[in-house]
Amino acid sequence: MSNKQMQKRVASMREALFKQGYLDEQFSMLEELEDTDNPNFCEEVVTMFFRDYVRHINNIDRALAKNPINFEKLGDLMHHFKGSCCSIGAAKVKNEITLFSNRCTNEDVEGVRGTFEQLKKELATLKTKLEAYFQEARQAGPSQTADRPK
């Protein structure tokens, strides 16, 4: 596969991540911070997020295991995690967090648990998709122009 074909494939993968709602404009902003001194800035930030997210998930899991559930604490934990998700532009994950928070406000135990399971699935899917995207991007090398979503 030629370099130009690889770059087109990377651009297509990226576009799909936005169209499918996995990413938002914050991801583009991270990409814009890349330069010759730090060409992999976005990937590094996303990698740190995925290294750290396990701690957040474990804290929320522990809070969900308590009886009775402290919905205020659970909401606070999720609010902190939402900030991390927003920083990388994880749009679908952010939407699940908003739903989770609403269910905490309503003290909907089953809704909170179900939403948390969906949140974990969305995180796993996003991680897989971004790992594939970054791998392809590394193989393709830097492009001459950046394609930003409109």
Side-chain angles (χ1 to χ4, degrees):
M1 188 180 292
S2 75
N3 187 281
K4 188 170 187 160
Q5 289 172 318
M6 290 176 74
Q7 287 180 350
K8 281 185 179 183
R9 181 178 163 125
V10 169
S12 177
M13 290 174 76
R14 183 183 182 285
E15 183 178 352
L17 288 166
F18 280 91
K19 283 186 176 178
Q20 295 168 359
Y22 287 101
L23 298 175
D24 63 24
E25 65 280 348
Q26 181 61 34
F27 186 83
S28 295
M29 293 170 77
L30 284 176
E31 289 179 315
E32 289 174 9
L33 294 173
E34 293 181 342
D35 58 21
T36 55
D37 292 334
N38 201 351
N40 300 319
F41 179 76
C42 183
E43 182 178 5
E44 290 169 7
V45 171
V46 169
T47 299
M48 285 189 299
F49 167 80
F50 281 113
R51 280 189 200 135
D52 191 47
Y53 93 97
V54 174
R55 179 179 52 86
H56 290 289
I57 295 300
N58 288 340
N59 288 340
I60 295 163
D61 258 333
R62 280 192 293 278
L64 276 170
K66 297 204 184 226
N67 192 10
I69 293 175
N70 181 336
F71 287 100
E72 185 176 340
K73 178 176 178 159
L74 201 52
D76 289 345
L77 289 169
M78 194 56 82
H79 179 74
H80 183 71
F81 185 51
K82 185 176 184 179
S84 296
C85 293
C86 288
S87 72
I88 66 161
K92 275 192 176 185
V93 174
K94 182 176 69 172
N95 293 340
E96 288 299 321
I97 291 171
T98 299
L99 185 57
F100 182 96
S101 296
N102 292 339
R103 291 186 169 159
C104 276
T105 299
N106 296 330
E107 297 189 4
D108 176 2
V109 175
E110 291 310 310
V112 164
R113 287 191 172 124
T115 303
F116 187 56
E117 290 307 311
Q118 184 61 34
L119 171 74
K120 290 190 285 188
K121 288 177 187 173
E122 292 295 349
L123 278 164
T125 300
L126 179 63
K127 184 176 190 230
T128 300
K129 287 181 177 286
L130 284 175
E131 285 172 345
Y133 168 73
F134 287 128
Q135 180 179 357
E136 290 284 329
R138 281 191 306 274
Q139 290 175 353
S143 62
Q144 298 302 326
T145 59
D147 297 326
R148 302 291 179 231
K150 306 229 184 308

